[in-house]
Amino acid sequence: MNRDDPEGAIADAAKTCSNWGRWGEDDRIGTLNYLTAEKRTEGAALVRRGDSFSLSLPFDMNGPQKGWRRRTNPVHTMLDTGTDAAAGLQNFPHGIGGADDVIAMPLQCSTQWDGLGHIFDHGRAWNGRDAGTTVTSEGDLVTGIEHMAAHVAGRAVLLDVGRVVGGGELPDGFAITETHLVATAEAHGVAVGRGDIVLVRTGQLARAKRDGWGDYAGGPAPGLSFTTAEWLHRSEIAAIATDTWGFEVRPNEFTEAFQPLHQVVIPHIGLLVGEMWDLEALADDCARDGVHEFWLSAAPLPVTGAVGSPVNPIAVK
């Protein structure tokens, strides 16, 4: 990999890892095609104890966002309250009262999925479509995240690279390679393959929760190396999520680049990518019982035409 030639590296990886046409010209869900009914049955059989773990951060004003590209933390506003009811302001009969609320937030401000319309490569969206006619001011007209809403549930694997490689947490700027991923899977005694949902823990979120958000949103971070593109393609996983803001290592591995791995895995591989997942409680449990595979349900909100979605992933062991 020539660190001074991101254009060339991206072009080479895009060619090598392309899934364009693999599931037909009308495909809307990319690598979720690997997550079949058989894979869901396999995943459901992993539920033994019935213990469940939410992998979501709280959606509130205390989140990591600092306003980059108008991304803000969620704003929660009450429309009706117990105060209104107690004051007799609701005008309901026979003493009934209630509360209502509203939330305003960017769809990718906290625990979330990147949809297939989120990233383009030289004006091309997933499956080679023209970005300009695929995602307009009306939203993603073809691969809106609503098409994925019924699919994201199945066998998941936690690769706790932070523990296995870093002794707990990886430092910012640490590039996770295929070698690290494979070694972590071997250390956990799990296999990773077609149709799996892979969760990669770096430990950066644990650090941010302990020390404060700092530059968590958009700053230096451990993450996947650009060189993992071929592994992500070859392994035929259905989706991947990390505990970091941007999934890939930051600063990126080229002298001048911005999220080059995104530029390959989303528009070319068609991979569903999750970010800012809170894997801490799950990772602690996996470390205790030695079981790093489980059932995961992580459906995006079916927001028509959205290119991302908040999610409350639930892992069940």
Side-chain angles (χ1 to χ4, degrees), residues 155-230:
R155 178 181 185 261
V157 172
L158 174 69
L159 298 183
D160 194 345
V161 185
R163 267 189 175 86
V164 172
V165 178
E169 300 171 9
L170 299 175
D172 292 340
F174 186 96
I176 299 170
T177 65
E178 176 179 344
T179 299
H180 295 130
L181 295 170
V182 171
T184 300
E186 291 176 351
H188 294 333
V190 292
V192 175
R194 177 178 288 192
D196 289 333
I197 303 168
V198 177
L199 312 182
V200 178
R201 178 186 174 274
T202 70
Q204 193 203 27
L205 181 58
R207 187 160 60 248
K209 291 169 72 173
R210 181 182 65 242
D211 301 336
W213 288 117
D215 289 329
Y216 176 86
L224 270 69
S225 167
F226 181 82
T227 61
T228 60
E230 290 190 31

Side-chain angles (χ1 to χ4, degrees), residues 122-183:
H122 291 82
R124 291 291 158 184
W126 160 241
N127 226 18
R129 298 183 178 98
D130 172 57
T133 56
T134 299
V135 184
T136 73
S137 60
E138 296 181 357
D140 186 335
L141 306 178
V142 182
T143 49
I145 208 159
E146 72 273 15
H147 299 292
M148 295 181 163
H151 297 276
V152 195
R155 178 181 185 261
V157 172
L158 174 69
L159 298 183
D160 194 345
V161 185
R163 267 189 175 86
V164 172
V165 178
E169 300 171 9
L170 299 175
D172 292 340
F174 186 96
I176 299 170
T177 65
E178 176 179 344
T179 299
H180 295 130
L181 295 170
V182 171

